[in-house]
Amino acid sequence: MFPAHSFPPLVIRGRSLLPVVQGGMGVGISAHRLAGSVAREGAMGTIASIDLRHHHADLVEACRAHPDRETLERANLTALAREITAARALSEGRGMIAVNVMKAVNAHADYVRVACENGADAIVMGAGLPLDLPDMTQAFDIALVPILSDSRGAALVLKKWMKKGRLPDAIVIEHPAHAGGHLGVTNLADIHDGRFEFARVLDEMQAVFSSLGLGRDDVPLIVAGGINSHDAVRACLAAGASGVQIGTPFAVTEEGDAHPQFKRVLADASPEDIVEFISVTGLPARAVRTPWLSRYLRHEARIRSKIGALKHACPAALECLSACGLRDGIEKFGHFCIDTRLAAALRGDVANGLFFRGREALPFGNAIRSVRDLLELLLTGTARPAVARHGAFSLR
């Protein structure tokens, strides 16, 4: 039983959860071990759907033998199904298992289908407006949770979904000034725009709900980005949020699915090490300034001037993104293979990986602690003594 705390539960589709949601982190950073461990404590754990094949040696070998798009896509769908099944077993029926799906990914509809067919409890969708998500999930009893950044986007999704006879089961409001990975703005200059401040968005959402004839409790609001302490959780919930979503602190837990060296890079990063840049998706992103990223940023202007408008064959043969700066020759986008770089980070390849990270300090500083320790600290303010444990990482 999780220790007593003072916060009301986060209720999603009739299920009472701890008011802390583990954010989805790809490639392979949040797979079954992390998501299942979070759910077992009574919270929502999230599997990031994209490119989970790296956790399955037989699928990696099949892709080496036949490196064509069909084999790669089939392997990733198989891996997602396996990870959902493993997370459900690990959760022991507690909490919820969500699958994060990026709208910007070509195969997003297939990921949604596999998640529904294999017993995921929720679909969380960001990186684009998920206006058609209710249509893709009509035949399934599954929670739907869009990720947005401001009240304008949330109002648009609510209106479109209500015309389809469906409400979101919750909405994640992500602040681009604090979150890690891809950020919900179209350019770097917008990151600190006041319209993303949690207090403002929560206040504006009350007016949106009223205009649509909805009650405040009809759609729980979950805020995400920069929440790294018990006091921060308390402030967000006191301001009107029903829950908080947290990514980087979960990525560095003992149960996190990435290589131990990945966790060390994130945990040891100083504020000066964390930088923003334009990703191949065209969205701003935030990551740790590691050797590869430093080289890329140093030469970014020259890369853009020389190859920015040239189309290239997909280096990974995956064709993962619906729009890719490198493959499609989109000059204002980034120009590198994001799948290759994120997979290197998963393996702990510091020299060549792209290590996404949020801006704020971590709850335990640079210590690697368990999921339970993290949840207990966030919800009770109490940090129990550290207990030596063995890491769970393995690329099977």
Side-chain angles (χ1 to χ4, degrees), residues 77-97:
L77 295 174
T78 299
L80 176 57
R82 291 179 183 178
E83 293 293 324
I84 294 169
T85 299
R88 284 168 55 84
L90 186 56
S91 74
E92 298 176 352
R94 296 195 284 272
M96 294 181 78
I97 300 296

Side-chain angles (χ1 to χ4, degrees), residues 133-280:
L133 186 54
D135 303 317
M136 290 188 278
T137 57
Q138 275 185 337
F140 297 93
D141 179 18
I142 191 166
L144 304 181
V145 183
I147 302 177
L148 304 158
S149 289
D150 60 17
S151 61
R152 182 174 55 185
L156 176 59
V157 169
L158 282 167
K159 291 173 184 177
K160 293 290 187 181
W161 284 29
M162 289 175 73
K163 289 180 181 179
K164 302 174 187 288
R166 179 68 194 257
L167 283 175
D169 294 283
I171 295 175
V172 173
I173 303 294
E174 184 179 85
H175 198 314
H178 305 286
H182 290 110
L183 310 174
V185 290
T186 54
N187 59 70
L188 287 169
D190 289 338
I191 286 176
H192 297 284
D193 193 300
R195 74 181 188 273
F196 301 124
E197 294 301 324
F198 290 149
R200 175 172 169 177
V201 176
L202 292 170
D203 184 58
E204 291 174 349
M205 285 305 299
Q206 184 60 55
V208 170
F209 287 147
S210 296
S211 71
L212 296 174
L214 299 173
R216 175 63 188 83
D217 296 330
D218 289 337
V219 182
L221 299 177
I222 301 164
V223 295
I227 301 157
N228 63 348
S229 68
H230 175 70
D231 289 343
V233 172
R234 181 174 295 281
C236 290
L237 299 186
S242 297
V244 298
Q245 177 175 288
I246 293 172
T248 303
F250 278 112
V252 302
T253 56
E254 293 165 347
E255 297 90 338
D257 291 273
H259 190 280
Q261 192 58 44
F262 173 94
K263 300 173 189 181
R264 284 265 55 93
V265 169
L266 269 60
D268 291 341
S270 68
E272 295 76 24
D273 294 328
I274 302 166
V275 295
E276 293 89 33
F277 60 99
I278 298 300
S279 170
V280 298

Side-chain angles (χ1 to χ4, degrees), residues 12-13 15 17 35 38-39 42-46 94-98 121-122 143:
I12 295 182
R13 214 164 180 78
R15 298 173 71 168
L17 308 167
V38 172
M44 179 184 281
T46 308
R94 296 195 284 272
M96 294 181 78
I97 300 296
D121 299 305

